[in-house]
């Protein structure tokens, strides 16, 4: 945990999807540091500035890149209870890869996509 926290402190920018409200809340139990002071770009927060509703990483990745997540966070909790740590590690690694791909796409094209409640693909501008 100490190594992770040191890496976060040294990072030029921490990019994630809902990491400010989820991951950091977990990590705050292990440090007195205010992780919000680290340079952060939370893709979900950026999308919520432009949209009146919340999107999932899977919804953005599917519409933008044509790739889907391998599982959902609740599945990872079940895997943990079952001792399936390798499944959790694979899920997390793929989640990080998808997050990076979404970030890179947004940086290159200045927009991401999602499907609205009618199934129509919509774009949302991003500024990173």
């Amino acid at each position: 945990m100490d190594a992770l926290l040191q890496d976060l402190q040294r990072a030029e920018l921490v990019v994630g999807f809902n990491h400010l409200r989820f991951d950091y809340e977990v990590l705050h139990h292990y440090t007195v540091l205010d992780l919000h002071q680290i340079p952060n770009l939370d893709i979900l927060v950026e999308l919520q500035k432009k949209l009146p509703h919340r999107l999932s990483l899977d919804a953005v990745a599917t519409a933008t890149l044509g790739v889907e997540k391998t599982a959902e966070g609740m599945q990872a909790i079940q895997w943990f209870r079952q001792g399936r740590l390798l499944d959790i590690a694979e899920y997390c690694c793929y989640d990080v890869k998808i997050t990076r791909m979404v970030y890179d796409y947004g940086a290159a094209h200045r927009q991401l996509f999602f499907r609205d409640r009618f199934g129509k693909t919509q774009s949302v501008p991003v500024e990173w």
Side-chain angles (χ1 to χ4, degrees):
M1 191 58 68
D2 289 338
L4 170 62
L5 292 168
Q6 288 174 5
D7 286 346
L8 290 172
Q9 287 178 303
R10 285 192 296 264
E12 287 183 36
L13 179 67
V14 176
V15 176
F17 195 97
N18 198 28
H19 74 281
L20 293 177
R21 285 183 249 163
F22 182 79
D23 303 86
Y24 279 8
E25 292 305 311
V26 173
L27 290 174
H28 276 136
H29 294 283
Y30 298 94
T31 183
V32 296
L33 300 172
D34 180 2
L35 299 173
H36 293 95
Q37 298 302 313
I38 296 170
N40 288 285
L41 188 143
D42 190 317
I43 296 170
L44 177 60
V45 170
E46 296 304 309
L47 292 174
Q48 287 183 306
K49 291 177 184 177
K50 311 274 174 133
L51 299 170
H53 57 283
R54 184 173 192 228
L55 296 173
S56 68
L57 176 59
D58 196 44
V60 174
T62 300
T64 303
L65 306 168
V67 298
E68 295 180 356
K69 291 177 51 163
T70 58
E72 291 297 323
M74 295 305 290
Q75 181 68 51
I77 293 170
Q78 185 177 5
W79 288 338
F80 179 79
R81 291 180 179 144
Q82 296 169 344
R84 296 172 57 186
L85 301 183
L86 183 57
D87 289 333
I88 295 170
E90 289 175 356
Y91 161 73
C92 289
C93 286
Y94 194 69
D95 226 44
V96 168
K97 183 176 182 177
I98 287 177
T99 301
R100 175 64 188 257
M101 291 167 60
V102 167
Y103 169 80
D104 287 345
Y105 186 96
H109 301 281
R110 300 289 186 219
Q111 65 180 341
L112 297 174
F113 298 94
F114 66 96
R115 289 191 182 83
D116 65 19
R117 60 186 173 152
F118 303 108
K120 183 177 178 192
T121 301
Q122 302 287 336
S123 69
V124 58
V126 296
E127 300 168 12
W128 59 72

